[in-house]
Amino acid sequence: MTNASKESFRFVVNGEPREVTNYPLSRLLDVLREDLELTGTKEGCGEGECGACSVLIDGRLVNSCLVPLAQVEGATVQTIEGVADGERLHRVQRAFVEHNGAQCGICTPGMVMAALELLAEHPTPTIEQIREGLAGNLCRCTGYIKIFEAVVAACQQTEGPR
Amino acid sequence: MNRFQLVQPLTVEAAMKALSAKGSVLRAGGVDLIDQQKEYLIAPTQLVDLRKVPGLAQVTAKPGHKLALGPMATLSAIASDAELRRLYPAIAEAAEAVATPQIRRLATLGGNLCQRPRCWYFRSEEFHCLKKGGDKCFAQEGENVWHALFENFPCAMVHPSTMALPLIAHDATIELVSASGKRSVSVESFFVKPEDKLSQETQLKPGEIITALHAPAHAGKSASLYVRLKHKQSFDWPLIELALWGRADGGKLADVRVALGAVAPIPLRAKALESALKGLALDPAALKAKVPVVRKGARALAHNGYKIGLLETTIARALDELVRRLKAA
Ligand SMILES: Cc1cc2nc3c(=O)[nH]c(=O)nc-3n(C[C@H](O)[C@H](O)[C@H](O)COP(=O)(O)OP(=O)(O)OC[C@H]3O[C@@H](n4cnc5c(N)ncnc54)[C@H](O)[C@@H]3O)c2cc1C
Ligand code: SF4
Ligand code: FES
Ligand code: FES
């Protein structure tokens, strides 16, 4: 039986180069939360069903509970901590605040990441594209309508650089 | 769960070599494997990651050429290829229907075909069922609401692979390599029935790797589609899913292939229905009149009889759409 040993991996998180030494198959979710202390990314199900752990890897939305550390070597990772510009919230985050898009908040970071990717791919998404873009994110509290409204509002808001 | 080796070979040959070591398991997107490990269905000592092997992720659809798909093509890459969608719509539509956007980014075609059953007894560590080497299929007398209607003895699992269906409808083949050489099998015959082999769902041999998938060039006046019926509107596993391919000639349905999912332990080709449909006029009413032929051989369990009606309705709707597409082709 071969026992894996810890190795060093380098990747960029929220614009900063980072190096992490851990097992190659450690879940990115745990690495973010424990090694890098970025606890904004949440764990819901741990098996790809809820989207609470969603992050962007090289701009693409994935479940960090399903991605092993070795897979992000050399990649660029964006988490919810990298979304606001200092104190200034991103328009998606502002829309969640203004439209009561969060209750307990566990799903919110994942929802925001999904909305970010959606807007990057479809700057003026149709209702169908919004539904599809959020289809991998579950919410136990809001009943989705408020979240949906927040994302629609964020799409319509064009002023400002972000 | 993290204490085993991950190797990342750069060629298929190196992957084959690594895979020959005891306790080695191939890893593609890892979506199904992580779940299998969590449920203690497997305890690999080494994972052989295929992600760094170049050339395995192609999606090449061109008019007049046969289709070539790499096993490492992700479902999102398959869903978003415009030429593939135009020439082989069932394949793109199926890829788009699987799971969530996040999962489709990771999940690969090869992994989708080789994923293990989702039967809840099989996935639960607490049930040592027939398929896992035990002496009982708990689904026969137990909770079988999602289970198989056809070929459901001795094991009533439904095969989970959505991608198998459009590939069968398009008459695709799988290329395999191993230390003992290359071979190619039809996607249809790749899957094995529990009565022939209980411990696995495919005829993949130890150490064998899927290296490519091919389907015949797009034929004129042909069309295909994929449909699924599910419990929830947002993402969900299918209650019924199917892929349909047809070719029209002189106002008739000259040829047709129907592949049914979520109803049998293998992706099931509905051959009796195909024979009944073949040669009929491209008239939805005439075609739909033959749908009940599909019931032949169905054996409902205590909680899954509802699937018979759903199956017939889904096929009828799919035939309407096939005729519409064939007339537009
Ligand atoms: C919430 C959720 C919903 C889902 N819904 C659906 C659905 O509707 N339809 C559906 O079909 N699936 C569904 N899935 C399952 C998912 O599609 C599969 O788990 C995924 O496609 C597996 O692909 P992978 O690349 O991650 O495979 P892996 O997990 O990496 O591998 C799976 C198996 O395939 C083998 N393998 C992989 N590549 C090769 C190769 N080239 N040659 C030989 N063997 C190989 C591996 O050894 C392993 O045994 C769902 C999953 C989740 C989590
Ligand atoms: S249906 Fe198959 S996998 Fe499920 S309990 Fe029965 S033998 Fe096991
Ligand atoms: S925690 Fe990753 S999808 Fe639920
Ligand atoms: S706000 Fe609680 S899960 Fe969405």
Side-chain angles (χ1 to χ4, degrees):
Chain A
M1 159 123 181
T2 35
N3 261 342
S5 45
K6 295 190 178 184
E7 288 171 40
S8 291
F9 295 92
R10 284 192 210 135
F11 50 105
V12 173
V13 182
N14 300 329
E16 273 178 55
R18 306 295 296 252
E19 182 170 337
V20 171
T21 302
N22 211 326
Y23 298 104
L25 285 156
S26 308
R27 302 186 304 172
L28 176 61
L29 173 63
D30 300 324
V31 168
L32 290 171
R33 292 181 52 88
E34 286 158 28
D35 299 35
L36 299 175
E37 298 182 354
L38 294 170
T39 53
T41 304
K42 305 299 182 204
E43 173 159 14
C45 63
E47 44 197 57
E49 301 214 357
C50 74
C53 66
S54 299
V55 300
L56 299 179
I57 298 181
D58 294 331
R60 322 261 357 227
L61 189 71
V62 294
N63 303 117
S64 63
C65 69
L66 297 179
V67 174
L69 174 57
Q71 205 159 313
V72 294
E73 168 75 29
T76 297
V77 179
Q78 192 187 10
T79 69
I80 188 70
E81 287 87 352
V83 175
D85 180 8
E87 290 293 298
R88 189 178 142 75
L89 293 183
H90 187 280
R91 67 181 153 113
V92 168
Q93 293 171 308
R94 277 204 309 276
F96 269 75
V97 174
E98 283 158 17
H99 293 264
N100 300 316
Q103 283 184 27
C104 81
I106 292 288
C107 70
T108 316
M111 290 284 181
V112 170
M113 299 315 288
L116 283 184
E117 195 211 37
L118 172 73
L119 290 180
E121 276 196 2
H122 308 284
T124 50
T126 60
I127 296 293
E128 201 35 58
Q129 283 166 337
I130 298 177
R131 273 192 218 287
E132 184 48 36
L134 300 181
N137 295 73
L138 299 186
C139 174
R140 294 286 283 163
C141 308
T142 64
Y144 299 101
I145 301 296
K146 298 282 175 199
I147 292 175
F148 199 69
E149 285 171 4
V151 176
V152 171
C155 302
Q156 286 161 349
Q157 203 178 322
T158 43
E159 92 283 6
R162 309 181 116 230
Chain B
M1 213 181 64
N2 299 322
R3 313 270 144 73
F4 39 76
Q5 205 75 35
L6 176 78
V7 290
Q8 300 192 300
L10 301 176
T11 62
V12 172
E13 291 66 36
M16 266 160 35
K17 188 144 182 280
L19 203 53
S20 66
K22 198 167 174 294
S24 289
V25 172
L26 211 55
R27 179 182 190 278
V31 177
D32 195 42
L33 278 183
I34 202 164
D35 216 57
Q36 291 184 36
Q37 287 168 256
K38 282 209 322 220
E39 304 292 353
Y40 301 99
L41 291 170
I42 50 166
T45 50
Q46 172 168 284
L47 289 186
V48 181
D49 185 358
L50 275 182
R51 296 175 76 253
K52 298 231 157 121
V53 180
L56 292 183
Q58 63 170 324
V59 177
T60 315
K62 278 192 230 138
H65 291 266
K66 67 178 179 181
L67 170 70
L69 296 173
M72 294 300 286
T74 62
L75 301 187
S76 64
I78 292 172
S80 60
D81 190 278
E83 263 317 79
L84 179 79
R85 185 171 292 263
R86 191 170 74 79
L87 300 169
Y88 304 87
I91 300 179
E93 290 166 10
E96 192 172 38
V98 172
T100 66
Q102 286 94 324
I103 288 172
R104 294 195 290 273
R105 295 281 152 72
L106 298 171
T108 68
L109 183 57
N112 187 274
L113 296 172
C114 298
Q115 60 177 311
R116 301 300 317 271
R118 288 274 162 174
C119 167
W120 42 36
Y121 298 111
F122 180 75
R123 290 272 162 166
S124 162
E125 207 193 330
E126 288 163 35
F127 293 90
H128 189 58
C129 76
L130 205 56
K131 193 169 236 322
K132 291 191 275 190
D135 53 15
K136 187 172 173 197
C137 167
F138 296 93
Q140 301 291 338
E141 308 273 292
E143 296 296 333
N144 48 37
V145 61
W146 313 124
H147 285 78
L149 270 183
F150 299 95
E151 319 260 6
N152 53 13
F153 189 82
C155 158
M157 65 164 277
V158 291
H159 199 283
S161 175
T162 291
M163 294 313 296
L165 305 171
L167 291 168
I168 291 172
H170 275 286
D171 202 17
T173 50
I174 299 185
E175 315 297 330
L176 299 160
V177 298
S178 67
S180 50
K182 295 186 180 183
R183 63 185 181 123
S184 118
V185 298
S186 68
V187 175
E188 186 184 352
S189 64
F190 182 63
F191 296 95
V192 294
K193 291 181 196 169
E195 60 178 88
D196 296 327
K197 188 155 201 171
L198 255 176
S199 61
Q200 61 183 72
E201 295 76 54
T202 69
Q203 50 152 297
L204 202 66
K205 294 180 187 152
E208 226 169 14
I209 302 178
I210 300 178
T211 50
L213 288 108
H214 295 292
H218 173 78
K221 281 280 170 200
S222 68
S224 74
L225 63 115
Y226 164 86
V227 277
R228 81 161 49 183
L229 222 74
K230 51 193 181 173
H231 205 69
K232 295 194 264 134
Q233 258 191 4
S234 66
F235 92 81
D236 204 354
W237 288 88
L239 298 171
I240 297 286
E241 57 179 343
L242 66 87
L244 201 53
W245 172 90
R247 184 171 57 78
D249 194 2
K252 295 212 162 95
L253 185 60
D255 202 359
V256 61
R257 272 190 299 275
V258 185
L260 307 177
V263 294
I266 50 169
L268 191 70
R269 201 164 150 199
K271 286 200 175 141
L273 179 63
E274 290 175 8
S275 317
L277 295 172
K278 233 176 262 182
L280 294 184
L282 278 186
D283 162 26
L287 294 170
K288 287 195 284 190
K290 298 292 181 193
V291 169
V293 170
V294 80
R295 281 179 185 230
K296 196 170 163 275
R299 180 183 77 105
L301 303 170
H303 311 292
N304 71 355
Y306 71 95
K307 282 195 177 186
I308 296 180
L310 285 190
L311 178 63
E312 294 191 357
T313 308
T314 314
I315 296 173
R317 288 184 192 163
L319 284 169
D320 272 335
E321 179 62 14
L322 183 71
V323 169
R324 203 188 61 70
R325 291 187 186 190
L326 281 173
K327 288 191 169 158

